[in-house]
Amino acid sequence: MFGFRRLPREVRTALALESGERVVSHARAAGDGHVVATTHALHLPGGLRLPWHLMDRAVWDEEGLTVTMTDGAVHTVRLPEPGLLPETIRERVTATIVASRRVPLEPGGGVRLVARRVPGYDTPRWEFIFDPGLDPEDPGLRALAEQALEEMRRSLGV
């Protein structure tokens, strides 16, 4: 079991926390800095803030943490001792998901329709996560995805 260490005061002070946001867990990054999980986001060294509702997935390996955002951006941080971060990240990202369904759009491709809770909003935010190789700007694919979303919303009653 990892021992809990307090987040250094200078790290906590440097975080740009929103109203009501609090630190949940943290770990020292390789080199310099900390990775800090809060109730609203994951804060990476250098001041980068990754809101939970915009994370598609997080993967851990011997190199550390790789986070892929819903827009496809990828962020990697080396963490020699991740502590409780893996569990915290899994719990926080999972807690944002209200509904998720993959829908085929064309042979070999599809879209994931995901509804997520966003802090400060009563209604979930819907997003399209297209399979790699599909152009999310293609009007035909967007129309098919919109149609699939409407069908999904009707079936869920939202």
Side-chain angles (χ1 to χ4, degrees):
M1 181 74 184
F2 296 99
F4 181 77
R5 295 185 184 128
R6 293 185 61 79
L7 184 63
R9 180 184 310 260
E10 64 275 8
V11 175
R12 181 182 294 275
T13 303
L15 291 174
L17 299 180
E18 295 178 348
S19 177
E21 186 175 9
R22 64 181 177 76
V23 173
V24 178
S25 66
H26 62 88
R28 182 178 294 278
D32 191 28
H34 284 76
V35 176
V36 181
T38 69
T39 50
H40 295 176
L42 185 67
H43 297 259
L44 301 183
L48 186 58
R49 183 179 191 279
L50 307 176
W52 300 121
H53 67 277
L54 296 179
M55 283 188 195
D56 186 32
R57 69 181 158 272
V59 178
W60 296 91
D61 61 22
E62 61 279 349
E63 294 297 315
L65 167 68
T66 300
V67 176
T68 304
M69 305 303 288
T70 57
D71 66 1
V74 176
H75 307 279
T76 302
V77 181
R78 292 190 41 147
L79 294 170
E81 295 182 32
L84 298 174
L85 275 175
E87 293 87 355
T88 301
I89 291 170
R90 178 182 306 274
E91 183 272 325
R92 292 291 163 175
V93 172
T94 301
T96 68
I97 299 171
V98 176
S100 178
R101 181 178 299 163
R102 187 180 180 287
V103 178
L105 295 180
E106 60 180 38
V111 65
R112 222 169 359 112
L113 308 173
V114 183
R116 294 182 186 262
R117 290 179 189 87
V118 178
Y121 293 90
D122 293 332
T123 58
R125 177 178 157 239
W126 287 90
E127 58 192 9
F128 301 128
I129 303 173
F130 288 91
D131 288 350
L134 294 184
D135 179 6
E137 303 302 319
D138 179 303
L141 288 178
R142 291 292 296 189
L144 290 172
E146 292 281 352
Q147 181 180 357
L149 175 59
E150 285 307 311
E151 290 173 12
M152 183 175 173
R153 291 177 79 170
R154 270 196 303 277
S155 73
L156 295 175
V158 290

